[in-house]
Amino acid sequence: MCMRTNIVLNEALVEEALKLSGARSKRAVIEEALRVYVEHKTGQKRREAYRSRLSMLERRTSRLTLRESPSDLLRADRERT
């Protein structure tokens, strides 16, 4: 789906983006910029959700204790091999 619009853009910024991107048109540069922005924001939201789930998991597991000390578990694991 396409949308027509008229917007005023900073010409120097658009020209710099054209040089950096290698795109042939202003439209291509703007579409790429929008794609990158959406990917960035999507990743940001995904990381925030991950942090939230990790924090919840840390709270839930903080009450757990080992029946044996970590060094005893490592020693037993080494002896099995």
Side-chain angles (χ1 to χ4, degrees):
M1 179 177 198
C2 294
M3 178 176 86
R4 285 195 161 277
T5 184
N6 291 323
I7 56 176
V8 177
L9 299 172
N10 179 319
E11 190 64 30
L13 190 59
V14 172
E15 290 301 321
E16 185 69 20
L18 277 166
K19 289 177 192 173
L20 292 171
S21 72
R24 294 182 177 200
S25 69
K26 292 176 185 176
R27 176 181 172 174
V29 167
I30 292 168
E31 285 181 355
E32 181 181 349
L34 289 170
R35 265 192 300 281
V36 169
Y37 178 79
V38 168
E39 289 172 6
H40 173 75
K41 287 298 187 178
T42 301
Q44 196 174 42
K45 287 182 184 264
R46 192 178 314 115
R47 285 187 298 277
E48 288 171 8
Y50 175 75
R51 268 190 222 100
S52 173
R53 289 193 309 270
L54 184 59
S55 176
M56 180 189 66
L57 184 61
E58 286 173 340
R59 282 193 306 273
R60 290 174 60 193
T61 58
S62 67
R63 296 179 298 243
L64 299 176
T65 57
L66 294 172
R67 293 183 197 152
E68 300 177 49
S69 73
S71 58
D72 290 341
L73 290 171
L74 288 171
R75 191 175 301 111
D77 189 51
R78 277 192 224 118
E79 290 171 359
R80 274 185 254 167
T81 57

